[in-house]
Amino acid sequence: MLLTSLASEDVNASDLADAVRIGGTCLSRAELNGAATAALEDLGGARRIAVLATPTAQTVLAVAGCLLAGIPMVPVPADVGVAERAHILRDSGAQAWLGERPDDLAGLPHVPARSGSAYSPPELPGNGDAALIIYTSGTTGPPKGVQLSRRALAADLDALAQAWQWTPEDVLVHGLPMYHVHGLVLGLLGSLRVGNRFVHTGRPTPEAYAAARGTLYFGVPTVWSRVVADPGAAEALRPARLLVSGSAALPVPVFDALVARTGHAPVERYGSTESLITVSTRVDGERRPGWVGLPLAGIGTRLVDEDGAPVRHDGETIGRLEVRGPTLFDGYLNRPEATAEVFDADGWYRTGDVAVIDAGGMHRIVGRESVDLIKTGGFRVGAGEIETALLGHPGVAEVAVVGLPDADLGQRIVAFVVASPAADAQPADLIDYVAEQLSVHKRPREVRIVDTLPRNAMGKVLKRALLP
Ligand code: MLC
Ligand code: AMP
């Protein structure tokens, strides 16, 4: 089934006046459908469109319009910096901005998003093209554009709806960024497809979650650990139907505190930008703290050792996790070699995560293979990208970036810097420099000025020596 309409026909038939509530504005289902008419009138024939993905009605109209009209869309992080924005626009070949107007248009025309007359989606010609291109970090280099087809999006959302018994009766609440899989694909597109009301809280604070009175809540582990630290807010979530955690490992104490303070054992799910969500606990199944559940319908998973041989599913033996199924991406834009590196000949995607699987098929994510991919507050950040940015500052001679354990963020980005004699560099200046060049959420939380970096005989930095 293709994502050619916002939802299945029976849902589409009935309008919802408050299908989406965001940034103080309500959008009806008819307005969202009409955004496609407007997108075709204003941008028909465009190959790729950039959307500055702020949590606003403009963004929602732009996303819905592009998706329904079959115009490939590139969400740009709301807090993007100059170098990262230039890279995303150049690499994607975006021809215009739709929706929110950026402070700096970077040479592209800007088209406000609007709703047009009623729209009946045709069978879209461009189904082979990506519906979304989401930029995400690797261990080195600038972010790569992950091409997601409408077929993959639809397959994932339908499988999640089944696992979570997600229905049009739900009111889905979150306050996550609208430029990643979690907030954009699962939160907004999931709601549009299922046909439920969607409420974006602006920021994912405990107070905002408590006030929203939803049935279904999404959060990254940092959000849930802040909720359990606020007993009043946690208590207010009791009437909800389901709390879902994902994007990073939910610490067992946070899981237990959610049970105690909200009355809900959270559902945990696992995935990535490239694969979408592939594994989840289920509403009607076991929710085991520290474990992320079973493969979704249509998804295959396997564990392999360093030689590619199968690893036993005994709940203890660690292997590299690979996944296969209809939710996988269609390659990195303009990067065939990088795409080839992560797929094998039979279509298995190498996730880069290490995991165990027990005899019942339950999965536990143990960690990442590489120390150079950091998860901070649920954001995926490549150490190499931050190192490259910092080396562009005259005060930096050498640098190594790592993720150190952090009670709030899971990992916090820390840069070890050997200062250049050429220029004085204060830690705060370097943090601001990364926030301006890349995005605010990629800034190091801490810069430690050191005399030397630990290196091996070949001169390679020994990052593990920088970890506790
Ligand atoms: C601080 N600020 C600065 C700054 N220092 N601004 C500019 N320059 C500096 N040097 C400002 C910020 O802009 C922001 O302002 C404020 O300080 C707080 O920023 P923060 O510290 O980054 O926010 P924080 O509360 O720590 O964020 C925690 C969080 C966030 C949980 C809200 O990490 C988050 O939204 N995470 C979600 C990530 C996510 O959705 N990942 C999904 C990936 S998809 P202001 O004005 O804005 O308050 C995926 C697939 C899957 O993983 O499985 O789901
Ligand atoms: P991203 O591409 O930003 O979606 O990041 C994907 C990565 O996030 C995965 O490869 C995992 O390392 C991590 N991740 C996502 N969900 C979970 C989870 N439930 N538990 C542990 N790690 C997770």
Side-chain angles (χ1 to χ4, degrees), residues 33 38 81 91 171 175 208 217 260 293 321 326 453 459:
N33 267 322
D91 189 68
V171 177
Y217 283 84
L321 182 62
L453 295 174

Side-chain angles (χ1 to χ4, degrees), residues 136 246-249 269-274 292 351 353 365 368 375 380:
T136 192
S247 304
R269 89 299 177 288
Y270 158 84
S272 66
T273 311
E274 289 89 338
V292 294
T351 65
D353 292 309
I365 307 301
R368 295 282 319 173
K375 265 271 156 157
R380 167 172 154 187

Side-chain angles (χ1 to χ4, degrees), residues 62 68 70 97 99 127 199 203 224 273 300 303 313 331 353 387 401 406 418 459:
L68 284 175
W97 295 99
N127 278 325
V199 177
R203 294 194 66 92
W224 295 124
T273 311
L303 286 183
H313 292 187
D353 292 309
E387 288 160 0
V401 168
D406 186 275
V418 178

Side-chain angles (χ1 to χ4, degrees), residues 435-466:
E436 283 159 20
Q437 291 296 314
L438 302 181
S439 20
V440 173
H441 67 268
K442 291 183 177 174
R443 72 194 187 281
R445 300 287 169 140
E446 204 186 317
V447 169
R448 297 188 193 170
I449 305 290
V450 293
D451 292 336
T452 55
L453 295 174
R455 292 182 186 273
N456 67 13
M458 308 294 290
K460 190 173 176 313
V461 176
L462 296 166
K463 288 213 176 166
R464 293 197 191 270
L466 298 170

Side-chain angles (χ1 to χ4, degrees), residues 175-177 180-183 186 203-204 220 222-223 226 246-248 269-273 277 375-380 408-409 431-432 435 440-441 443 445:
L176 300 169
H180 282 312
V181 163
H182 199 156
L186 273 54
R203 294 194 66 92
V220 295
T222 302
V223 169
R226 292 178 185 183
S247 304
R269 89 299 177 288
Y270 158 84
S272 66
T273 311
I277 307 308
K375 265 271 156 157
T376 180
F379 285 112
R380 167 172 154 187
D408 182 44
L409 298 169
I431 291 170
D432 288 345
V440 173
H441 67 268
R443 72 194 187 281
R445 300 287 169 140

